[in-house]
Amino acid sequence: MTPELRTERLVLTPYVPADEDDFVGLFQDAASGQWFWDGPERRPAAEDRALFGRIFSMIYAEDRFPVWAVRHEGRFIGHAEVKPSPESWLNGHEIVYGLTANSWGHGFGTELAAALTAYGHDALHLTEVHATVNAENARSLKVLKKIGFVHTKDVREDDGSTTQLLTHRVGSDSVRV
């Protein structure tokens, strides 16, 4: 069951059906969506709507892993997960997060990534929490390094891009929530 999480400024709650348009809007936005999968230019909105439906029919229904809507002052500003990695080259759990472009630059990314990492260590008892990030996503790389993630591997993707694997280990710099 996905628990509610709270930080100083953010509330992470399980999605409700009324969040569908916000979810799809985040993934379809050119600025935010470019860092999810292949970006909105290659992913029809109908696929994001189907993905949103699977959050309820599969992820929540089968209690697979926590998935949250991220809110600030009651307003939807993002998406978050802590899940087993789908990557064949990574045996572990990773954090996944994304924020609406209009919420960038306020420290929410750092606050959110720290909360997800702490949840992975404290609630899920993970000794390592991972993040996979496109090497060109400077904002996320900066956020993760700021909270103690260490670059551990580069993976060359089929399209020629590079994904960086970053890892946070129990006992490394504290994650502050």
Side-chain angles (χ1 to χ4, degrees), residues 114-148:
L116 296 173
T117 303
Y119 179 84
H121 288 313
D122 300 340
L124 299 179
H125 309 289
L126 302 172
T127 57
E128 293 183 332
V129 174
H130 305 282
T132 56
V133 182
N134 182 298
E136 295 181 17
N137 189 343
R139 287 179 181 269
S140 276
L141 293 171
K142 181 179 177 183
V143 161
L144 293 165
K145 289 175 182 175
K146 181 177 182 179
I147 63 170

PDB file of all heavy atoms in Angstrom, residues 114-148:
ATOM      1  N   ALA A 114      15.219  13.535  -1.735  1.00  0.00           N
ATOM      2  CA  ALA A 114      15.656  13.170  -0.384  1.00  0.00           C
ATOM      3  C   ALA A 114      14.586  12.345   0.328  1.00  0.00           C
ATOM      4  O   ALA A 114      14.901  11.351   1.001  1.00  0.00           O
ATOM      5  CB  ALA A 114      15.991  14.425   0.422  1.00  0.00           C
ATOM      6  N   ALA A 115      13.329  12.732   0.165  1.00  0.00           N
ATOM      7  CA  ALA A 115      12.234  11.983   0.807  1.00  0.00           C
ATOM      8  C   ALA A 115      12.124  10.575   0.236  1.00  0.00           C
ATOM      9  O   ALA A 115      11.938   9.602   0.994  1.00  0.00           O
ATOM     10  CB  ALA A 115      10.909  12.731   0.632  1.00  0.00           C
ATOM     11  N   LEU A 116      12.244  10.436  -1.072  1.00  0.00           N
ATOM     12  CA  LEU A 116      12.167   9.117  -1.696  1.00  0.00           C
ATOM     13  C   LEU A 116      13.336   8.235  -1.268  1.00  0.00           C
ATOM     14  O   LEU A 116      13.165   7.044  -0.990  1.00  0.00           O
ATOM     15  CB  LEU A 116      12.142   9.249  -3.217  1.00  0.00           C
ATOM     16  CG  LEU A 116      10.936   9.966  -3.814  1.00  0.00           C
ATOM     17  CD1 LEU A 116      11.128  10.171  -5.308  1.00  0.00           C
ATOM     18  CD2 LEU A 116       9.648   9.220  -3.512  1.00  0.00           C
ATOM     19  N   THR A 117      14.513   8.816  -1.201  1.00  0.00           N
ATOM     20  CA  THR A 117      15.696   8.073  -0.787  1.00  0.00           C
ATOM     21  C   THR A 117      15.572   7.625   0.663  1.00  0.00           C
ATOM     22  O   THR A 117      15.859   6.464   0.989  1.00  0.00           O
ATOM     23  CB  THR A 117      16.966   8.929  -1.000  1.00  0.00           C
ATOM     24  OG1 THR A 117      17.021   9.322  -2.380  1.00  0.00           O
ATOM     25  CG2 THR A 117      18.220   8.167  -0.630  1.00  0.00           C
ATOM     26  N   ALA A 118      15.134   8.514   1.523  1.00  0.00           N
ATOM     27  CA  ALA A 118      14.932   8.157   2.934  1.00  0.00           C
ATOM     28  C   ALA A 118      13.888   7.056   3.067  1.00  0.00           C
ATOM     29  O   ALA A 118      14.061   6.119   3.857  1.00  0.00           O
ATOM     30  CB  ALA A 118      14.521   9.398   3.735  1.00  0.00           C
ATOM     31  N   TYR A 119      12.819   7.134   2.284  1.00  0.00           N
ATOM     32  CA  TYR A 119      11.793   6.095   2.308  1.00  0.00           C
ATOM     33  C   TYR A 119      12.394   4.749   1.889  1.00  0.00           C
ATOM     34  O   TYR A 119      12.125   3.715   2.501  1.00  0.00           O
ATOM     35  CB  TYR A 119      10.624   6.479   1.387  1.00  0.00           C
ATOM     36  CG  TYR A 119       9.535   5.437   1.357  1.00  0.00           C
ATOM     37  CD1 TYR A 119       8.552   5.418   2.337  1.00  0.00           C
ATOM     38  CD2 TYR A 119       9.498   4.472   0.358  1.00  0.00           C
ATOM     39  CE1 TYR A 119       7.561   4.451   2.326  1.00  0.00           C
ATOM     40  CE2 TYR A 119       8.506   3.509   0.334  1.00  0.00           C
ATOM     41  CZ  TYR A 119       7.540   3.501   1.323  1.00  0.00           C
ATOM     42  OH  TYR A 119       6.566   2.531   1.312  1.00  0.00           O
ATOM     43  N   GLY A 120      13.204   4.752   0.851  1.00  0.00           N
ATOM     44  CA  GLY A 120      13.843   3.523   0.401  1.00  0.00           C
ATOM     45  C   GLY A 120      14.710   2.896   1.485  1.00  0.00           C
ATOM     46  O   GLY A 120      14.640   1.689   1.731  1.00  0.00           O
ATOM     47  N   HIS A 121      15.501   3.718   2.147  1.00  0.00           N
ATOM     48  CA  HIS A 121      16.374   3.196   3.206  1.00  0.00           C
ATOM     49  C   HIS A 121      15.583   2.809   4.455  1.00  0.00           C
ATOM     50  O   HIS A 121      15.761   1.722   4.998  1.00  0.00           O
ATOM     51  CB  HIS A 121      17.438   4.226   3.593  1.00  0.00           C
ATOM     52  CG  HIS A 121      18.509   4.434   2.559  1.00  0.00           C
ATOM     53  ND1 HIS A 121      19.166   3.411   1.916  1.00  0.00           N
ATOM     54  CD2 HIS A 121      19.047   5.585   2.069  1.00  0.00           C
ATOM     55  CE1 HIS A 121      20.067   3.909   1.084  1.00  0.00           C
ATOM     56  NE2 HIS A 121      20.008   5.228   1.144  1.00  0.00           N
ATOM     57  N   ASP A 122      14.724   3.706   4.907  1.00  0.00           N
ATOM     58  CA  ASP A 122      14.052   3.526   6.199  1.00  0.00           C
ATOM     59  C   ASP A 122      12.853   2.583   6.155  1.00  0.00           C
ATOM     60  O   ASP A 122      12.726   1.700   6.994  1.00  0.00           O
ATOM     61  CB  ASP A 122      13.613   4.885   6.766  1.00  0.00           C
ATOM     62  CG  ASP A 122      14.785   5.830   6.999  1.00  0.00           C
ATOM     63  OD1 ASP A 122      15.945   5.358   7.086  1.00  0.00           O
ATOM     64  OD2 ASP A 122      14.541   7.053   7.070  1.00  0.00           O
ATOM     65  N   ALA A 123      11.974   2.768   5.195  1.00  0.00           N
ATOM     66  CA  ALA A 123      10.747   1.963   5.149  1.00  0.00           C
ATOM     67  C   ALA A 123      10.944   0.637   4.420  1.00  0.00           C
ATOM     68  O   ALA A 123      10.373  -0.378   4.809  1.00  0.00           O
ATOM     69  CB  ALA A 123       9.621   2.758   4.492  1.00  0.00           C
ATOM     70  N   LEU A 124      11.750   0.676   3.355  1.00  0.00           N
ATOM     71  CA  LEU A 124      11.956  -0.545   2.566  1.00  0.00           C
ATOM     72  C   LEU A 124      13.227  -1.295   2.973  1.00  0.00           C
ATOM     73  O   LEU A 124      13.500  -2.376   2.460  1.00  0.00           O
ATOM     74  CB  LEU A 124      12.004  -0.202   1.068  1.00  0.00           C
ATOM     75  CG  LEU A 124      10.740   0.446   0.499  1.00  0.00           C
ATOM     76  CD1 LEU A 124      10.925   0.757  -0.980  1.00  0.00           C
ATOM     77  CD2 LEU A 124       9.512  -0.426   0.727  1.00  0.00           C
ATOM     78  N   HIS A 125      14.016  -0.687   3.859  1.00  0.00           N
ATOM     79  CA  HIS A 125      15.244  -1.301   4.388  1.00  0.00           C
ATOM     80  C   HIS A 125      16.248  -1.633   3.292  1.00  0.00           C
ATOM     81  O   HIS A 125      16.912  -2.666   3.333  1.00  0.00           O
ATOM     82  CB  HIS A 125      14.922  -2.537   5.234  1.00  0.00           C
ATOM     83  CG  HIS A 125      13.884  -2.266   6.266  1.00  0.00           C
ATOM     84  ND1 HIS A 125      14.124  -1.487   7.374  1.00  0.00           N
ATOM     85  CD2 HIS A 125      12.579  -2.641   6.336  1.00  0.00           C
ATOM     86  CE1 HIS A 125      13.010  -1.397   8.095  1.00  0.00           C
ATOM     87  NE2 HIS A 125      12.067  -2.076   7.478  1.00  0.00           N
ATOM     88  N   LEU A 126      16.357  -0.743   2.310  1.00  0.00           N
ATOM     89  CA  LEU A 126      17.308  -0.928   1.221  1.00  0.00           C
ATOM     90  C   LEU A 126      18.672  -0.387   1.644  1.00  0.00           C
ATOM     91  O   LEU A 126      18.770   0.725   2.164  1.00  0.00           O
ATOM     92  CB  LEU A 126      16.840  -0.188  -0.032  1.00  0.00           C
ATOM     93  CG  LEU A 126      15.462  -0.571  -0.580  1.00  0.00           C
ATOM     94  CD1 LEU A 126      15.061   0.385  -1.709  1.00  0.00           C
ATOM     95  CD2 LEU A 126      15.470  -2.014  -1.060  1.00  0.00           C
ATOM     96  N   THR A 127      19.713  -1.155   1.402  1.00  0.00           N
ATOM     97  CA  THR A 127      21.056  -0.660   1.690  1.00  0.00           C
ATOM     98  C   THR A 127      21.548   0.260   0.581  1.00  0.00           C
ATOM     99  O   THR A 127      22.411   1.101   0.806  1.00  0.00           O
ATOM    100  CB  THR A 127      22.066  -1.817   1.886  1.00  0.00           C
ATOM    101  OG1 THR A 127      22.057  -2.627   0.716  1.00  0.00           O
ATOM    102  CG2 THR A 127      21.694  -2.650   3.105  1.00  0.00           C
ATOM    103  N   GLU A 128      20.990   0.086  -0.622  1.00  0.00           N
ATOM    104  CA  GLU A 128      21.299   0.956  -1.748  1.00  0.00           C
ATOM    105  C   GLU A 128      20.001   1.417  -2.402  1.00  0.00           C
ATOM    106  O   GLU A 128      19.090   0.624  -2.604  1.00  0.00           O
ATOM    107  CB  GLU A 128      22.128   0.222  -2.802  1.00  0.00           C
ATOM    108  CG  GLU A 128      23.511  -0.163  -2.359  1.00  0.00           C
ATOM    109  CD  GLU A 128      24.317  -0.825  -3.471  1.00  0.00           C
ATOM    110  OE1 GLU A 128      23.710  -1.459  -4.369  1.00  0.00           O
ATOM    111  OE2 GLU A 128      25.545  -0.680  -3.437  1.00  0.00           O
ATOM    112  N   VAL A 129      19.964   2.688  -2.739  1.00  0.00           N
ATOM    113  CA  VAL A 129      18.868   3.263  -3.516  1.00  0.00           C
ATOM    114  C   VAL A 129      19.518   3.839  -4.767  1.00  0.00           C
ATOM    115  O   VAL A 129      20.525   4.544  -4.682  1.00  0.00           O
ATOM    116  CB  VAL A 129      18.122   4.359  -2.726  1.00  0.00           C
ATOM    117  CG1 VAL A 129      17.084   5.037  -3.601  1.00  0.00           C
ATOM    118  CG2 VAL A 129      17.480   3.782  -1.476  1.00  0.00           C
ATOM    119  N   HIS A 130      18.957   3.519  -5.926  1.00  0.00           N
ATOM    120  CA  HIS A 130      19.537   3.929  -7.197  1.00  0.00           C
ATOM    121  C   HIS A 130      18.661   4.967  -7.899  1.00  0.00           C
ATOM    122  O   HIS A 130      17.476   5.110  -7.590  1.00  0.00           O
ATOM    123  CB  HIS A 130      19.692   2.714  -8.119  1.00  0.00           C
ATOM    124  CG  HIS A 130      20.477   1.608  -7.512  1.00  0.00           C
ATOM    125  ND1 HIS A 130      21.847   1.628  -7.443  1.00  0.00           N
ATOM    126  CD2 HIS A 130      20.084   0.442  -6.930  1.00  0.00           C
ATOM    127  CE1 HIS A 130      22.274   0.530  -6.846  1.00  0.00           C
ATOM    128  NE2 HIS A 130      21.222  -0.214  -6.532  1.00  0.00           N
ATOM    129  N   ALA A 131      19.275   5.624  -8.862  1.00  0.00           N
ATOM    130  CA  ALA A 131      18.556   6.512  -9.780  1.00  0.00           C
ATOM    131  C   ALA A 131      19.219   6.350 -11.143  1.00  0.00           C
ATOM    132  O   ALA A 131      20.445   6.279 -11.237  1.00  0.00           O
ATOM    133  CB  ALA A 131      18.633   7.956  -9.317  1.00  0.00           C
ATOM    134  N   THR A 132      18.412   6.251 -12.175  1.00  0.00           N
ATOM    135  CA  THR A 132      18.930   6.210 -13.542  1.00  0.00           C
ATOM    136  C   THR A 132      18.508   7.507 -14.222  1.00  0.00           C
ATOM    137  O   THR A 132      17.327   7.843 -14.243  1.00  0.00           O
ATOM    138  CB  THR A 132      18.407   4.985 -14.314  1.00  0.00           C
ATOM    139  OG1 THR A 132      16.981   4.969 -14.292  1.00  0.00           O
ATOM    140  CG2 THR A 132      18.935   3.696 -13.693  1.00  0.00           C
ATOM    141  N   VAL A 133      19.485   8.234 -14.747  1.00  0.00           N
ATOM    142  CA  VAL A 133      19.242   9.582 -15.248  1.00  0.00           C
ATOM    143  C   VAL A 133      19.927   9.768 -16.590  1.00  0.00           C
ATOM    144  O   VAL A 133      21.102   9.409 -16.749  1.00  0.00           O
ATOM    145  CB  VAL A 133      19.787  10.637 -14.247  1.00  0.00           C
ATOM    146  CG1 VAL A 133      19.503  12.050 -14.727  1.00  0.00           C
ATOM    147  CG2 VAL A 133      19.212  10.421 -12.849  1.00  0.00           C
ATOM    148  N   ASN A 134      19.217  10.344 -17.543  1.00  0.00           N
ATOM    149  CA  ASN A 134      19.825  10.707 -18.814  1.00  0.00           C
ATOM    150  C   ASN A 134      20.997  11.642 -18.520  1.00  0.00           C
ATOM    151  O   ASN A 134      20.860  12.592 -17.744  1.00  0.00           O
ATOM    152  CB  ASN A 134      18.791  11.394 -19.712  1.00  0.00           C
ATOM    153  CG  ASN A 134      19.344  11.746 -21.065  1.00  0.00           C
ATOM    154  OD1 ASN A 134      20.278  12.532 -21.196  1.00  0.00           O
ATOM    155  ND2 ASN A 134      18.743  11.174 -22.103  1.00  0.00           N
ATOM    156  N   ALA A 135      22.138  11.375 -19.121  1.00  0.00           N
ATOM    157  CA  ALA A 135      23.353  12.156 -18.850  1.00  0.00           C
ATOM    158  C   ALA A 135      23.187  13.640 -19.168  1.00  0.00           C
ATOM    159  O   ALA A 135      23.949  14.472 -18.658  1.00  0.00           O
ATOM    160  CB  ALA A 135      24.527  11.575 -19.626  1.00  0.00           C
ATOM    161  N   GLU A 136      22.205  13.997 -19.989  1.00  0.00           N
ATOM    162  CA  GLU A 136      21.971  15.399 -20.325  1.00  0.00           C
ATOM    163  C   GLU A 136      21.024  16.091 -19.341  1.00  0.00           C
ATOM    164  O   GLU A 136      20.815  17.298 -19.438  1.00  0.00           O
ATOM    165  CB  GLU A 136      21.432  15.504 -21.743  1.00  0.00           C
ATOM    166  CG  GLU A 136      22.450  15.047 -22.780  1.00  0.00           C
ATOM    167  CD  GLU A 136      21.928  15.159 -24.197  1.00  0.00           C
ATOM    168  OE1 GLU A 136      20.933  15.867 -24.432  1.00  0.00           O
ATOM    169  OE2 GLU A 136      22.530  14.523 -25.072  1.00  0.00           O
ATOM    170  N   ASN A 137      20.463  15.357 -18.395  1.00  0.00           N
ATOM    171  CA  ASN A 137      19.529  15.932 -17.427  1.00  0.00           C
ATOM    172  C   ASN A 137      20.313  16.518 -16.256  1.00  0.00           C
ATOM    173  O   ASN A 137      20.370  15.962 -15.159  1.00  0.00           O
ATOM    174  CB  ASN A 137      18.537  14.864 -16.962  1.00  0.00           C
ATOM    175  CG  ASN A 137      17.413  15.437 -16.128  1.00  0.00           C
ATOM    176  OD1 ASN A 137      17.502  16.550 -15.631  1.00  0.00           O
ATOM    177  ND2 ASN A 137      16.355  14.655 -15.970  1.00  0.00           N
ATOM    178  N   ALA A 138      20.926  17.663 -16.515  1.00  0.00           N
ATOM    179  CA  ALA A 138      21.805  18.300 -15.526  1.00  0.00           C
ATOM    180  C   ALA A 138      21.090  18.624 -14.222  1.00  0.00           C
ATOM    181  O   ALA A 138      21.680  18.509 -13.145  1.00  0.00           O
ATOM    182  CB  ALA A 138      22.415  19.569 -16.122  1.00  0.00           C
ATOM    183  N   ARG A 139      19.829  19.016 -14.280  1.00  0.00           N
ATOM    184  CA  ARG A 139      19.092  19.362 -13.051  1.00  0.00           C
ATOM    185  C   ARG A 139      18.989  18.170 -12.108  1.00  0.00           C
ATOM    186  O   ARG A 139      19.253  18.286 -10.916  1.00  0.00           O
ATOM    187  CB  ARG A 139      17.688  19.868 -13.385  1.00  0.00           C
ATOM    188  CG  ARG A 139      17.638  21.236 -13.988  1.00  0.00           C
ATOM    189  CD  ARG A 139      16.173  21.607 -14.298  1.00  0.00           C
ATOM    190  NE  ARG A 139      16.067  22.895 -14.893  1.00  0.00           N
ATOM    191  CZ  ARG A 139      15.893  24.035 -14.224  1.00  0.00           C
ATOM    192  NH1 ARG A 139      15.816  24.016 -12.922  1.00  0.00           N
ATOM    193  NH2 ARG A 139      15.797  25.176 -14.858  1.00  0.00           N
ATOM    194  N   SER A 140      18.576  17.017 -12.633  1.00  0.00           N
ATOM    195  CA  SER A 140      18.431  15.838 -11.776  1.00  0.00           C
ATOM    196  C   SER A 140      19.791  15.351 -11.273  1.00  0.00           C
ATOM    197  O   SER A 140      19.913  14.938 -10.120  1.00  0.00           O
ATOM    198  CB  SER A 140      17.709  14.700 -12.496  1.00  0.00           C
ATOM    199  OG  SER A 140      16.321  14.873 -12.391  1.00  0.00           O
ATOM    200  N   LEU A 141      20.790  15.389 -12.126  1.00  0.00           N
ATOM    201  CA  LEU A 141      22.121  14.960 -11.692  1.00  0.00           C
ATOM    202  C   LEU A 141      22.620  15.835 -10.538  1.00  0.00           C
ATOM    203  O   LEU A 141      23.164  15.335  -9.551  1.00  0.00           O
ATOM    204  CB  LEU A 141      23.101  14.990 -12.864  1.00  0.00           C
ATOM    205  CG  LEU A 141      22.817  13.966 -13.963  1.00  0.00           C
ATOM    206  CD1 LEU A 141      23.700  14.233 -15.179  1.00  0.00           C
ATOM    207  CD2 LEU A 141      22.997  12.545 -13.454  1.00  0.00           C
ATOM    208  N   LYS A 142      22.399  17.130 -10.633  1.00  0.00           N
ATOM    209  CA  LYS A 142      22.809  18.060  -9.576  1.00  0.00           C
ATOM    210  C   LYS A 142      22.050  17.770  -8.276  1.00  0.00           C
ATOM    211  O   LYS A 142      22.642  17.729  -7.191  1.00  0.00           O
ATOM    212  CB  LYS A 142      22.563  19.504 -10.027  1.00  0.00           C
ATOM    213  CG  LYS A 142      22.981  20.537  -9.011  1.00  0.00           C
ATOM    214  CD  LYS A 142      22.736  21.942  -9.529  1.00  0.00           C
ATOM    215  CE  LYS A 142      23.089  22.974  -8.474  1.00  0.00           C
ATOM    216  NZ  LYS A 142      22.800  24.340  -8.929  1.00  0.00           N
ATOM    217  N   VAL A 143      20.748  17.558  -8.375  1.00  0.00           N
ATOM    218  CA  VAL A 143      19.922  17.258  -7.199  1.00  0.00           C
ATOM    219  C   VAL A 143      20.427  15.995  -6.503  1.00  0.00           C
ATOM    220  O   VAL A 143      20.615  15.971  -5.281  1.00  0.00           O
ATOM    221  CB  VAL A 143      18.438  17.093  -7.603  1.00  0.00           C
ATOM    222  CG1 VAL A 143      17.634  16.345  -6.551  1.00  0.00           C
ATOM    223  CG2 VAL A 143      17.809  18.455  -7.882  1.00  0.00           C
ATOM    224  N   LEU A 144      20.630  14.946  -7.273  1.00  0.00           N
ATOM    225  CA  LEU A 144      21.019  13.664  -6.679  1.00  0.00           C
ATOM    226  C   LEU A 144      22.400  13.728  -6.040  1.00  0.00           C
ATOM    227  O   LEU A 144      22.616  13.198  -4.941  1.00  0.00           O
ATOM    228  CB  LEU A 144      20.938  12.563  -7.730  1.00  0.00           C
ATOM    229  CG  LEU A 144      19.504  12.269  -8.197  1.00  0.00           C
ATOM    230  CD1 LEU A 144      19.518  11.441  -9.469  1.00  0.00           C
ATOM    231  CD2 LEU A 144      18.695  11.603  -7.110  1.00  0.00           C
ATOM    232  N   LYS A 145      23.332  14.377  -6.688  1.00  0.00           N
ATOM    233  CA  LYS A 145      24.674  14.515  -6.107  1.00  0.00           C
ATOM    234  C   LYS A 145      24.633  15.362  -4.840  1.00  0.00           C
ATOM    235  O   LYS A 145      25.355  15.082  -3.877  1.00  0.00           O
ATOM    236  CB  LYS A 145      25.641  15.075  -7.140  1.00  0.00           C
ATOM    237  CG  LYS A 145      25.942  14.044  -8.225  1.00  0.00           C
ATOM    238  CD  LYS A 145      26.814  14.586  -9.338  1.00  0.00           C
ATOM    239  CE  LYS A 145      27.016  13.497 -10.393  1.00  0.00           C
ATOM    240  NZ  LYS A 145      27.742  13.965 -11.553  1.00  0.00           N
ATOM    241  N   LYS A 146      23.762  16.342  -4.818  1.00  0.00           N
ATOM    242  CA  LYS A 146      23.618  17.215  -3.648  1.00  0.00           C
ATOM    243  C   LYS A 146      23.191  16.428  -2.407  1.00  0.00           C
ATOM    244  O   LYS A 146      23.581  16.760  -1.288  1.00  0.00           O
ATOM    245  CB  LYS A 146      22.594  18.316  -3.968  1.00  0.00           C
ATOM    246  CG  LYS A 146      22.353  19.311  -2.875  1.00  0.00           C
ATOM    247  CD  LYS A 146      21.369  20.374  -3.359  1.00  0.00           C
ATOM    248  CE  LYS A 146      21.121  21.419  -2.325  1.00  0.00           C
ATOM    249  NZ  LYS A 146      20.183  22.442  -2.820  1.00  0.00           N
ATOM    250  N   ILE A 147      22.388  15.378  -2.599  1.00  0.00           N
ATOM    251  CA  ILE A 147      21.905  14.612  -1.445  1.00  0.00           C
ATOM    252  C   ILE A 147      22.699  13.331  -1.207  1.00  0.00           C
ATOM    253  O   ILE A 147      22.285  12.471  -0.441  1.00  0.00           O
ATOM    254  CB  ILE A 147      20.391  14.322  -1.527  1.00  0.00           C
ATOM    255  CG1 ILE A 147      20.048  13.453  -2.734  1.00  0.00           C
ATOM    256  CG2 ILE A 147      19.596  15.629  -1.518  1.00  0.00           C
ATOM    257  CD1 ILE A 147      18.606  12.945  -2.731  1.00  0.00           C
ATOM    258  N   GLY A 148      23.845  13.209  -1.856  1.00  0.00           N
ATOM    259  CA  GLY A 148      24.749  12.116  -1.543  1.00  0.00           C
ATOM    260  C   GLY A 148      24.779  10.940  -2.495  1.00  0.00           C
ATOM    261  O   GLY A 148      25.422   9.934  -2.218  1.00  0.00           O
TER     262      GLY A 148
END
